[in-house]
Amino acid sequence: MMNGIVGADRCPVTYTNQRSGRPRQLRTSIGRRGCPPGRRNGFRWRAHSGAPLQLLVLLVCLSACVPLDQLPPGSIPGPVPGSSATGGKAANFADLDPGSTQITTLHFTLRGYNDNDLRPVSMIAESLYNKIGNDTGLYSFLASGSFTLVVYHDKDEYLRKTHLPSWSRAVATGNSIYLYPGDDLEPVLVHEMTHLIFNTYMGDKATTLRWLNEGLAMYEELSKMPESDRAAFTSSQLTQLRDRKMSFSQMTFFTPLTEEQRRVEIWYQQVESVIAFLMSQGSALNFASMLNEIRGGSDIDRALGNAYPGKFHSLNELEQAWKYTV
């Protein structure tokens, strides 16, 4: 019986494992009445590219049959289309109004309306860029990096031209970050810059590693939050991880629909905690080695084993070690 559906038939379903990227086959039950079509409960499965259309239809049906009490609210597996962490096709946002200007720094071209807006953003951006390079060990790769920051005049122009929801503060897409100036920019800029760097370095591998992408982005964002915000995040994180921590199989497969509640949602808090723990288990070079292994085609288990010898041989061993810290 699945979610109260009886008299089910057994059928094979092929899906892509989000942890390893390998196609896997399972046998599951689809009731005679079937499941409601579409993403009724907000879930979907990523079908293996070789699966026939009939299996893809079955996967859509399965998406409505996942037990909700086992998963974080508002979750779907894999990357969210249009989010900064997908590493997918770049979005096309409306350009600046006529009369704009630009400045160029070591790693960025900043486009906006006046130097008074662009100069402060450029200094913050270069500082954050160097921090991410040092934290991740990717400084050699980043040395020749060149990215674009589009600085809209204010929030109204940003929302009008990106058509993003009102909670959005900045967004990374393609080789660019779109934003508007303000005193609260630094935490969200380092978050989006982390996505930009991760997506650029990992290429098509980024799409199946959203937990790693978002965990690293939250790790960097937390370091730049005001003290009061950081304390609130840490307090909530400790409580939720003690009471509601997820298995890594759930964490690596199901991801939230949006980043709106990223500072209070358990999934974001957990992936940040996992990355912080991983960072504490070695140097930045260990972390860079792991990313490079994955980038070269290794699965996460082999990448961890090679990058953290004597520490972990698999994601399961990382999970067991991390659990003792929360």
Side-chain angles (χ1 to χ4, degrees):
M1 183 173 68
M2 178 179 288
N3 282 4
I5 298 175
V6 296
D9 299 319
R10 305 290 288 179
C11 56
V13 175
T14 303
Y15 73 99
T16 297
N17 188 306
Q18 292 286 314
R19 288 170 54 181
S20 66
R22 298 174 178 172
R24 300 290 299 277
Q25 190 175 84
L26 55 82
R27 299 192 71 84
T28 187
S29 301
I30 300 294
R32 294 193 180 97
R33 296 185 333 191
C35 300
R39 258 194 250 172
R40 180 164 177 177
N41 288 332
F43 300 94
R44 63 181 172 83
W45 286 63
R46 289 177 55 83
H48 176 46
S49 59
L53 180 61
Q54 293 93 329
L55 289 183
L56 186 58
V57 172
L58 287 178
L59 297 181
V60 173
C61 290
L62 275 175
S63 67
C65 297
V66 178
L68 299 182
D69 59 349
Q70 296 180 15
L71 304 168
S75 317
I76 63 171
V80 177
S83 78
S84 300
T86 62
K89 184 178 179 181
N92 293 317
F93 295 129
D95 201 2
L96 298 167
D97 294 336
S100 62
T101 186
Q102 71 178 45
I103 63 173
T104 301
T105 65
L106 186 59
H107 299 106
F108 297 96
T109 296
L110 291 92
R111 302 178 59 240
Y113 294 111
N114 60 74
D115 282 0
N116 291 334
D117 285 342
L118 297 182
R119 293 294 176 189
V121 174
S122 72
M123 290 188 288
I124 293 172
E126 287 290 352
S127 175
L128 297 177
Y129 191 82
N130 289 332
K131 181 183 186 304
I132 296 169
N134 289 328
D135 289 347
T136 61
L138 298 180
Y139 33 76
S140 296
F141 170 78
L142 297 179
S144 60
S146 180
F147 302 96
T148 300
L149 302 182
V150 178
V151 184
Y152 290 118
H153 177 66
D154 54 22
K155 182 177 182 178
D156 287 342
E157 183 185 13
Y158 170 80
L159 295 179
R160 184 173 71 254
K161 291 186 173 180
T162 63
H163 302 287
L164 292 170
S166 60
W167 55 263
S168 178
R169 182 66 178 78
V171 62
T173 179
N175 212 36
S176 304
I177 299 177
Y178 293 77
L179 56 99
Y180 59 92
D183 294 338
D184 60 342
L185 177 62
E186 194 169 22
V188 71
L189 180 56
V190 75
H191 184 113
E192 297 303 322
M193 195 178 294
T194 302
H195 287 324
L196 194 69
I197 291 168
F198 187 92
N199 293 339
T200 301
Y201 185 73
M202 299 302 293
D204 59 0
K205 301 294 192 301
T207 59
T208 57
L209 293 168
R210 191 172 173 224
W211 69 272
L212 184 55
N213 194 345
E214 286 292 356
L216 185 58
M218 288 304 300
Y219 174 82
E220 294 294 346
E221 178 176 355
L222 181 62
S223 72
K224 290 300 179 180
M225 287 182 193
E227 185 175 348
S228 59
D229 290 353
R230 187 162 54 249
F233 179 92
T234 302
S235 176
S236 174
Q237 182 185 52
L238 289 172
T239 300
Q240 295 217 79
L241 289 180
R242 184 175 61 246
D243 299 336
R244 301 176 54 211
K245 61 179 171 287
M246 293 172 280
S247 68
F248 275 27
S249 61
Q250 292 176 353
M251 181 192 76
T252 58
F253 192 74
F254 291 90
T255 58
L257 287 165
T258 77
E259 294 186 348
E260 181 178 9
Q261 299 297 319
R262 66 184 182 276
R263 294 191 180 184
V264 296
E265 193 167 74
I266 179 61
W267 185 84
Y268 283 99
Q269 293 175 342
Q270 178 160 325
V271 293
E272 189 283 328
S273 175
V274 171
I275 294 302
F277 174 72
L278 195 56
M279 291 289 196
S280 73
Q281 298 303 297
S283 68
L285 293 179
N286 293 108
F287 191 81
S289 176
M290 180 191 70
L291 294 181
N292 188 56
E293 288 268 348
I294 299 171
R295 185 188 187 206
S298 296
D299 62 25
I300 186 66
D301 291 340
R302 177 175 294 183
L304 280 168
N306 290 340
Y308 293 88
K311 291 278 188 179
F312 320 108
H313 296 95
S314 66
L315 194 62
N316 182 62
E317 288 189 10
L318 173 61
E319 178 178 10
Q320 299 311 311
W322 168 78
K323 281 181 177 180
Y324 285 109
T325 70
V326 298

